[in-house]
Amino acid sequence: QVQLVESGGGSVQAGGSLRLSCAGNGYTSMKDFTGWFRQAPGKERERVAAISSSGTTFTEDSVKGRFTISRDNAKNTVYLQMNSLRPEDTAMYYCAAWLGSRLLPPSMVHSWGQGTQVTVSS
């Protein structure tokens, strides 16, 4: 069973940076993708970035150029480096791992971490 534990959230001012970590177990490497989603109050969960089992990375247009996803295979850990943060980046950030398409809807993803809160003040 996949286990995912996020850390690294917090409160920062606009323009600041945070690095989120997602520590997985051995089962995580069996998934096609590991990635980050976020959900702001009253909004649907949305995809942020993903990394494939072969190391190819994908970032959504809303964060492209500001957020970078990476992975340390030896530690079974995926990172999300977030720079130039904006108030609209405020959300609960969730790590997930899944099989199949990179664009699998969040409702079809079954392996989630508990989430870590990111708050960006103006």
Side-chain angles (χ1 to χ4, degrees):
Q1 183 174 349
V2 174
Q3 292 183 338
L4 301 164
V5 179
E6 301 101 329
S7 61
S11 297
V12 295
Q13 290 190 329
S17 299
L18 285 172
R19 188 177 80 156
L20 306 184
S21 299
C22 172
N25 59 6
Y27 291 101
T28 310
S29 61
M30 299 171 65
K31 298 296 185 180
D32 293 327
F33 293 94
T34 306
W36 293 91
F37 292 76
R38 67 185 181 186
Q39 188 167 18
K43 295 188 176 181
E44 293 186 353
R45 193 167 295 190
E46 64 176 3
R47 193 185 332 275
V48 176
I51 185 166
S52 73
S53 56
S54 63
T56 305
T57 61
F58 306 88
T59 50
E60 298 303 308
D61 288 345
S62 59
V63 302
K64 193 163 293 185
R66 300 188 297 122
F67 291 12
T68 303
I69 189 169
S70 62
R71 182 176 65 210
D72 184 332
N73 290 327
K75 296 182 178 179
N76 280 325
T77 299
V78 171
Y79 303 97
L80 185 68
Q81 178 66 45
M82 306 186 295
N83 298 328
S84 301
L85 282 161
R86 303 168 181 170
E88 54 263 40
D89 294 319
T90 295
M92 185 70 79
Y93 283 70
Y94 297 92
C95 181
W98 65 96
L99 294 170
S101 170
R102 172 179 72 87
L103 299 177
L104 197 71
S107 60
M108 299 183 68
V109 174
H110 299 298
S111 298
W112 294 95
Q114 81 286 356
T116 186
Q117 178 68 38
V118 172
T119 302
V120 185
S121 59
S122 58

